[in-house]
Amino acid sequence: MKNKAFTKENLWRVAAVLFWLLVWQAAAALLRQPLLLSSPLRVLQRLFALLGQSATYRALGYSLSRIALGFLTGFALGALLAVLAARWRPVEYLIRPLMLTVKSVPVASFIILALVFLTSRKLNSFISFLMVLPIVYGNLLEGLKSKSLQLDEMARMYRVPRLRRLVYIELPQLKPYLLSAVSLALGMSWKSGIAAEVIGIPMGSVGERLYQAKVYLDTSELYAWTLAILLISMLFEKGLVALLKGAYARLERL
Amino acid sequence: MIEMKHIAKTFDGKAVLRDFSLTVAEGVTCLMAPSGRGKTTLLRILLGLETPDAGEIIGKPERVAVLFQEDRLMETLTVGLNLRLALGRAYDPEKAEQCLAALGLPGSLRLTVSTLSGGMKRRVALARALLYPAPLLVLDEPFQGLDEDTRRLAIQAVKQSARGRAALVVTHDLEDVALLGGRLVNLQEG
C-alpha cells in the first residue's frame, strides 16, 4: 500500500515537472524569440554540447572546489561557534549581532564590499563561507539548546563517558538540525558563490561563463549553465544528506 | 545503608520537603507518596541532582542505578545499545538477554526503542537499572504502564535484583508494596 502511494506521489511530481516543461516549450514556440526565451529542448541540446567540452569540467571543478572550501569552513566555524554559544550565554549575545547582520545584508552588498579587499579568485569561497556560517550556527544552536536535559541526567547518573555521550546521546538529538543545516547551507553556498563569480568574474569559473553568455545574449548557454549549476547543487545536497544519514544509520547499528 | 537526615527544600518560597528523614537499608524500601508531596524532589536530592536547603545524606554510594519516572531511553538506538551505553564495561549480552527475558521481553536486544510500546520501553528502562552494578537502586514508579502479567514479572525481577543491595522503590500502589515485601515509608508522614 505504502509503495503504491509512493509511486503515485512520484508520478504526480513527474507529471507536474513535465507540465511546466510543456508550458515553457509552448511559450518559446509562441514567442519565437530564442534570444529572449530559449526552448527547453534547445537548452538540453546546449547542455549536452557543454558536457562534451573539457573547459566545462574545468570551470565546474574550479567553482566547485572553491565553493566547497567556503562551505566547509563556514560549516566548521558555524558549528564551533554554536557549541561555544550553547555552552556560554555571553558568547551567544556577542555573536548574535554579527549573525543578524550577515543574515540581513543583501548578498550583493557583501560581494561588492568584499571585492574591495579580496581578489576575485577568493571571492566565491569567502561569500559562500559567509552565507553558510549563520545558517549552520543558527540551526545547530537551536538543536543544542533543545537537547534533552533528562537524557543528560541519565548519562550523568550512569556515568556515560564524554565521547559516548557525544556520539550516542548528543549527535542523534542533533540529527534533524544538522540535516536541515546541510540542506539549506548547501543550496545557499552554491547560489551565493556563483553570484560572487558573476560579479567578480574570476577567469575559468562558472560565473565567468554565465557572464559571457549574458554579454553575448546567448540565452541557451545561460540556461544550460543554470541547469548544470542546479543539477550539481542538487546532487551535492542529496549526496551529502545521504552520506550523513548513512553515517547516522551506521552509528545507530553499532 | 543510606541515611537522609532532616532534609528540607523550598522552591519559590514553597516548602516542598520539611525536615524529612529516611533510611534505606539493604533490601527493598517502598516509598508511598501521593502526587505533589515532594517525592521527585526527594529522589533528585538523593541522586545528587538537586541540593537540599538543609539536612545531609550519609553513606550515599558513588554509583546509583536509577529508573526515572520517564524512561529516558535513546529512541533511535536499539535496546542492546541503550543498555551498553549505560552499563559500559559491565554490559554482558547474555545477562542482558536473561534480564529482558525475565521482564517478558526475550529476543528484544536488536529492536529499535522507537518501535516498542510504552510498557516495553518501561521494562527496557527497568532492565537498565537492574543490570547496573551499583549498591543503591532507585526506582521511581517502575511498574507504571505495565499490564497485570508483566507487572508481576517486573516485581519479581526487582525483588531478585535488590538482594545484596539497597533498593528504594517509589509507588502509589499498596499491592506493589505487598508483593515487593520490605519496608514501607509514607512521605506524607515525613
Side-chain angles (χ1 to χ4, degrees):
Chain A
M1 264 320 257
K2 201 177 174 185
N3 273 344
K4 218 174 176 180
F6 179 72
T7 317
K8 208 174 171 184
E9 201 181 305
N10 272 359
L11 273 174
W12 273 109
R13 282 180 185 169
V14 172
V17 173
L18 281 175
F19 170 77
W20 289 112
L21 280 174
L22 280 173
V23 170
W24 179 7
Q25 180 70 39
L30 279 172
L31 200 64
R32 287 185 188 176
Q33 293 277 355
L35 272 182
L36 291 176
L37 186 67
S38 201
S39 73
L41 282 175
R42 245 181 115 90
V43 172
L44 263 182
Q45 273 176 351
R46 200 50 178 260
L47 180 66
F48 283 119
L50 281 175
L51 290 176
Q53 298 167 9
S54 61
T56 304
Y57 296 101
R58 278 201 300 275
L60 284 172
Y62 175 93
S63 298
L64 186 74
S65 57
R66 279 162 175 80
I67 290 171
L69 180 71
F71 172 82
L72 289 175
T73 46
F75 198 95
L77 187 66
L80 178 71
L81 290 177
V83 170
L84 294 176
R87 180 78 182 80
W88 292 287
R89 208 65 202 264
V91 177
E92 189 192 348
Y93 287 124
L94 192 72
I95 293 172
R96 190 181 288 167
L98 210 69
M99 293 298 170
L100 276 175
T101 310
V102 178
K103 272 206 294 198
S104 334
V105 174
V107 64
S109 305
F110 271 124
I111 296 170
I112 292 158
L113 274 171
L115 263 175
V116 177
F117 55 90
L118 281 179
T119 63
S120 64
R121 297 189 79 79
K122 288 177 181 161
L123 191 66
N124 50 4
S125 289
F126 178 71
I127 292 299
S128 159
F129 159 83
L130 213 59
M131 294 300 115
V132 166
L133 184 71
I135 297 174
V136 173
Y137 171 80
N139 269 277
L140 291 191
L141 181 61
E142 200 189 330
L144 287 166
K145 277 182 169 179
S146 60
K147 72 177 185 170
S148 162
L149 288 175
Q150 292 188 344
L151 288 173
D152 266 1
E153 283 180 355
M154 181 279 291
R156 208 173 123 193
M157 292 316 301
Y158 284 101
R159 295 165 170 245
V160 180
R162 262 257 168 269
L163 187 67
R164 279 185 173 220
R165 256 188 231 198
L166 176 76
V167 174
Y168 293 112
I169 297 176
E170 284 164 18
L171 283 179
Q173 290 183 78
L174 274 182
K175 185 180 171 182
Y177 300 94
L178 197 65
L179 290 178
S180 153
V182 166
S183 188
L184 280 169
L186 257 177
M188 203 60 203
S189 71
W190 268 97
K191 278 186 210 163
S192 57
I194 298 292
E197 286 181 354
V198 171
I199 295 175
I201 327 170
M203 261 179 61
S205 68
V206 171
E208 188 206 18
R209 300 291 297 266
L210 272 174
Y211 181 77
Q212 280 174 354
K214 177 227 152 196
V215 168
Y216 297 117
L217 286 174
D218 191 346
T219 39
S220 302
E221 179 147 335
L222 190 74
Y223 287 12
W225 273 109
T226 308
L227 193 61
I229 295 163
L230 205 79
L231 289 173
I232 287 180
S233 163
M234 254 170 62
L235 263 175
F236 260 76
E237 188 195 319
K238 301 273 180 217
L240 202 59
V241 168
L243 211 71
L244 267 173
K245 281 186 176 170
Y248 265 111
R250 277 185 67 179
L251 197 85
E252 284 157 9
R253 276 197 305 268
L254 275 175
Chain B
M1 191 166 76
I2 301 105
E3 279 185 276
M4 296 181 87
K5 285 183 166 180
H6 311 294
I7 301 290
K9 183 75 185 176
T10 304
F11 284 114
D12 301 324
K14 191 189 167 203
V16 180
L17 287 168
R18 239 176 284 169
D19 195 29
F20 183 83
S21 295
L22 171 74
T23 303
V24 185
E26 197 178 303
V28 178
T29 302
C30 290
L31 183 70
M32 288 277 285
S35 302
R37 295 297 304 179
K39 169 210 72 180
T40 303
T41 307
L42 179 76
L43 291 190
R44 289 182 68 80
I45 289 171
L46 177 62
L47 295 171
L49 298 171
E50 208 81 62
T51 315
D53 297 335
E56 59 177 338
I57 302 171
I58 301 163
K60 192 195 148 212
E62 265 189 48
R63 285 174 174 268
V64 180
V66 58
L67 170 70
F68 293 94
Q69 200 168 14
E70 313 81 19
D71 301 324
R72 304 196 185 190
L73 295 166
M74 287 302 304
E75 292 277 328
T76 55
L77 304 184
T78 60
V79 170
L81 196 47
N82 263 281
L83 296 180
R84 207 170 77 188
L85 185 65
L87 303 177
R89 283 181 189 162
Y91 177 73
D92 175 348
E94 260 180 54
K95 273 190 188 171
E97 177 56 42
Q98 278 172 15
C99 183
L100 288 165
L103 290 167
L105 290 172
S108 57
L109 279 172
R110 286 177 179 273
L111 299 178
T112 305
V113 170
S114 59
T115 64
L116 306 179
S117 69
M120 289 162 97
K121 285 179 191 171
R122 193 67 188 151
R123 281 177 283 159
V124 172
L126 178 60
R128 180 175 63 190
L130 299 182
L131 286 164
Y132 192 63
L136 174 62
L137 184 61
V138 175
L139 307 175
D140 193 354
E141 298 184 27
F143 316 120
Q144 66 176 359
L146 303 187
D147 60 40
E148 198 49 41
D149 292 340
T150 50
R151 196 167 132 244
R152 283 178 188 275
L153 286 176
I155 288 171
Q156 281 310 312
V158 170
K159 273 172 83 172
Q160 200 175 349
S161 180
R163 279 180 204 144
R165 60 173 165 174
L168 179 65
V169 181
V170 175
T171 178
H172 292 299
D173 198 327
L174 268 172
E175 198 191 330
D176 288 347
V177 178
L179 289 169
L180 280 165
R183 206 161 60 92
L184 170 67
V185 176
N186 198 325
L187 190 56
Q188 212 159 14
E189 291 160 8

